Amino acid sequence: MTNPTRFEEAAAFHPRESIADLKWPTDPAEIPDWVYTDRRVYDLELERIFLGPTWNYVALEAELPRPGDYIRSYIGSIPIVVARDKAGEVHAFENRCAHRGAEFCKTYRGNAEQFICPYHQWTYDHSGALVSVPFRRGVKGKGGMPADFKLDEHNLRRLDVTCRHGVVFASVSDKMEPLEDYLGSEILDQFDTIFDGRKLKILGVHRNTLPGNWKLYQENLKDPYHATLLHTYLTTFGLFVAGNKTAIMTDAKGRHSTLCNARPQGRPSDDESKAEIRSFHAAMQLADPRVIQLIPEKNTPWTSNAITIWPNLILLRQTNILGLRQIVPMGPHQFMLIWTTFGYADDTPEMEQHRLRQNNIFGPGGFLGIDDNEALKFVQDGLRRSVPRHGLAPLGNDEESEDTVITDRAIRSMYRHYRESMGF
Amino acid sequence: MSRKSGNRFSDKDMRKSEEAGNAKPLVPPPAIDRAKLAELRFLVEEFHFEYAAVLDRCEIERWPEFFTEDGVYRLIARDNADANLPLSLMSCEGIGMLKDRAYAIAHTEMFAPRYIQHFISNIRVRAFEEPYITAEANYLVLETLIDEPTRILQSGKYHDVLLQQGETLLIKERRCIYDTVLIPTCVVYPP
């Protein structure tokens, strides 16, 4: 689409200071502390990654089912509005009035005839185009806008939008490759396992802040090493144990990843051949096992799949939970997570209840969600409070087979891509 | 300028669910005589205070004792309640799920040690249909982590159906609707 009112090329929201003092360590297993703590690095990330040549997740179409529907969202740290126009087309634009810069949309979601900034009633349509300004000719021939004022030069800054199977991505760049090419075939296959073209039904949204750098969250879902060690719930109740069939794959550029796992049939303790699963305590039975019950619904060998899409999306299918997590950076030391949980529009009421019950596992009050959020806070506490050093991601190697579980391979590949994007 | 009936993003949406999840309009005090009302409110207040005392001591494995066998507990973000979205932050249907949640907190979840304090006020008895008391209360949970200042974890409202058994009450249904939609890191202990 044409996009007359755009973010500037390489939009520099903060003046770029010299970063010549920042030297990347020579050991490829080392990650310097300053990528998580330095404000200059954060500002450059906004410019070169989130407002650079990337597709950013911004909404599900099921959140905007009718013409006029809108939600608040973000690209990088920047508030945007995603809206559906009268013709059904989805648009995304900055949530900031072209006049005095007010963040005008203050509701999570809704339906609007048009968007009116409350300060001076500048009025925009569903594409973010300015359609009217009050007192344009002043009062009694005095005041008003300059004679050469043109509405279409004061539209809200718009983003390019692409949708696949109900998932909406946006980019500041209008030169982006198609989403399918951006994801690559391996990731696209896994993406389509969740978004198979069926209509989605939104079940709800969780939101939390996390006192950590946004990249830690991407890393966490590229890290199969932690899954069986941090998440005692998984091993205790047999959802994911180190002996399960597991694979982690990345796209050709190393920026996206998919961590797939196949849960054993039945309880591992019932299977004498599963001798390798020593961390599993046969005594631990859930009083109500419905929470982890798998109702087969997908034609895939994997029962769980954690997909990271660079830079701001985590897609998670665990048993019958379907959800995505949008990462919103809020400075080097904090980010927001928006967890959108959904099912399919044609789910039976029982299946919907099952998904809702199972969602006790995730979210900022979930059996696993709490572990991750706390662990990442621990990392940032260490980064923030101590003397800088280099963190380590040394496990495995970069030529190993995809079924290697105890590995940091996908974290290293993300940082190779990161350094290229950032010019480090 | 003729302004169409546009969305001005006024704060009316923020108010629309003053009775979030309850669907009833504001009603006059329940048709219970004042002496009975005072007695019920005292019972409910004592119940809240004992519930808070147990959670404030982090004795999470005693938490299911406050519920009936078929007791339901839901912790729901205000914006989900307003939008009629069914997702809960925590959801337990029956004593089994309540015990599993308590077990996970006590034995499988990893989190920094913390102090919590409940403050429960504005207790209102809304109906009494023996043996069930329908009641509401506001709650505030403060959380304190090692070497960090105390912060507000949740500001919310309890919507309860309580079963009266002699001098004691049990929760048949508790829906906690929290205004603190943007959660600071996580909610470990159920409010």
Side-chain angles (χ1 to χ4, degrees), chain B residues 38-69:
Chain B
E39 180 197 323
L40 291 174
R41 191 192 289 164
F42 178 76
L43 270 178
V44 171
E45 188 175 39
E46 284 292 298
F47 177 81
H48 283 313
F49 291 172
E50 184 58 25
Y51 178 97
V54 166
L55 282 173
D56 290 351
R57 291 195 299 267
C58 296
E59 294 176 7
I60 187 65
E61 288 185 285
R62 286 195 54 206
W63 176 62
E65 295 172 14
F66 291 96
F67 291 81
T68 61
E69 278 292 309

Side-chain angles (χ1 to χ4, degrees), chain A residues 67-70 84 86 110-115 126, chain B residues 5-7 9:
Chain A
D69 283 351
Y70 68 87
R84 189 183 291 278
K86 293 279 166 60
N111 184 281
E113 280 290 313
Q114 40 191 200
F115 298 97
H126 296 107
Chain B
S5 59
N7 186 321
F9 307 103

Side-chain angles (χ1 to χ4, degrees), chain A residues 287-390:
Chain A
D288 189 337
R290 290 179 298 179
V291 171
I292 62 166
Q293 182 196 349
L294 173 65
I295 300 177
E297 62 170 329
K298 294 287 182 184
N299 183 23
T300 166
W302 308 113
T303 54
S304 80
N305 192 352
I307 303 169
T308 68
I309 296 173
W310 184 257
N312 79 331
L313 178 63
I314 308 297
L315 263 178
L316 224 132
R317 178 173 68 82
Q318 165 62 262
T319 314
N320 299 108
I321 301 170
L322 303 171
L324 34 79
R325 307 175 193 171
Q326 181 182 359
I327 300 169
V328 180
M330 299 169 74
H333 293 289
Q334 191 171 51
F335 63 96
M336 175 165 36
L337 269 182
I338 303 174
W339 310 60
T340 306
T341 300
F342 55 92
Y344 299 107
D346 59 4
D347 281 345
T348 62
E350 293 74 27
M351 188 60 163
E352 182 174 313
Q353 286 308 310
H354 177 64
R355 294 194 205 280
L356 288 167
R357 205 178 286 126
Q358 211 150 62
N359 266 289
N360 275 297
I361 292 173
F362 290 134
F367 300 135
L368 273 59
I370 288 171
D371 297 341
D372 285 326
N373 284 11
E374 285 286 294
L376 298 192
K377 178 177 182 293
F378 285 19
V379 174
Q380 198 75 18
D381 286 345
L383 287 161
R384 199 200 297 255
R385 291 175 170 175
S386 194
V387 178
R389 44 155 258 191
H390 299 324

Side-chain angles (χ1 to χ4, degrees), chain A residues 70 108-109 112 115 118 203 205-209 211 284 287-288 357 360 364-365 367 370-371 373-374 377, chain B residues 7-9 80 83 85-88 91 93 97 100-101 103 109-112 114 148 181 183 185-187:
Chain A
Y70 68 87
Y108 288 121
R109 57 181 78 80
F115 298 97
L203 298 180
V205 181
H206 298 308
R207 297 164 207 272
N208 69 268
T209 52
M284 294 308 164
D288 189 337
R357 205 178 286 126
N360 275 297
F367 300 135
I370 288 171
D371 297 341
N373 284 11
E374 285 286 294
K377 178 177 182 293
Chain B
N7 186 321
R8 296 210 54 206
F9 307 103
N80 284 330
L85 294 170
L87 183 69
S88 304
S91 170
E93 299 155 30
M97 286 182 76
D100 288 340
R101 170 63 72 168
Y103 181 89
E109 288 172 13
M110 192 292 289
F111 52 88
R114 61 202 60 212
E148 293 189 23
V181 168
I183 291 166
T185 310
C186 57
V187 179

Side-chain angles (χ1 to χ4, degrees), chain A residues 206-250:
Chain A
H206 298 308
R207 297 164 207 272
N208 69 268
T209 52
L210 214 160
N213 185 275
W214 67 274
K215 295 186 293 299
L216 291 174
Y217 209 80
Q218 282 276 355
E219 292 175 34
N220 187 54
L221 277 296
K222 294 172 186 282
D223 168 16
Y225 184 39
H226 90 283
T228 60
L229 300 169
L230 173 64
H231 299 308
T232 313
Y233 186 91
L234 287 175
T235 48
T236 301
F237 300 112
L239 278 168
F240 188 139
V241 288
N244 285 12
K245 189 180 168 205
T246 302
I248 181 159
M249 295 162 271
T250 60

Side-chain angles (χ1 to χ4, degrees), chain B residues 23-37:
Chain B
K24 288 179 201 157
L26 278 175
V27 292
I32 309 170
D33 76 61
R34 297 188 74 79
K36 183 66 179 173
L37 190 62

